[in-house]
Amino acid sequence: MSENLTLDDVAVPLRTLRLLAADFGHLPAPDVRVSTIYPERLELTFYDDLPGFETWREALGIASDAVTYREQGDGRTHVLRGSVDHAGAVVLLTGYADIVAPALVGGAA
């Protein structure tokens, strides 16, 4: 689908980003991605910042029970994902965080 697309073809997620920056400029800055592969999507991603993910989830009105949870990297990384239609674009919100192994009680195993 990315063949021969113009900037106009990704205008909807770019406009959505502009609106989010105006309305939520005080919120933590995510990694932002607009792609010609999914020209209707705006991706907001947080790395090692689940509180930032949660702040944006609430601001976008994504219900907590609509967030999916999985693990990757042999169980070393949490992945949270939710999406919402906002201003004509699909906003995909993703958060990654390391899974902290509990300390061994009493030292070595």
Side-chain angles (χ1 to χ4, degrees):
M1 171 130 204
S2 62
E3 234 178 87
N4 301 318
L5 291 182
T6 66
L7 197 53
D8 280 341
D9 294 318
V10 293
V12 171
L14 291 172
R15 281 189 210 114
T16 301
L17 178 59
R18 182 177 175 195
L19 290 171
L20 292 175
D23 293 343
F24 302 116
H26 61 284
L27 296 183
D31 183 71
V32 176
R33 183 165 193 251
V34 174
S35 169
T36 56
I37 296 169
Y38 300 104
E40 73 290 342
R41 183 187 298 174
L42 171 64
E43 297 179 21
L44 306 177
T45 304
F46 287 90
Y47 298 95
D48 292 323
D49 184 8
L50 293 183
F53 171 91
E54 183 63 17
T55 299
W56 274 96
R57 182 196 64 76
E58 289 179 5
L60 292 169
I62 300 171
S64 59
D65 62 353
V67 172
T68 61
Y69 171 81
R70 66 182 179 88
E71 295 175 1
Q72 68 182 33
D74 293 326
R76 294 185 312 242
T77 304
H78 296 286
V79 182
L80 299 176
R81 183 166 281 156
S83 66
V84 66
D85 291 335
H86 188 84
V90 175
V91 178
L92 178 62
L93 182 64
T94 305
Y96 298 96
D98 291 337
I99 295 174
V100 180
L104 294 174
V105 177

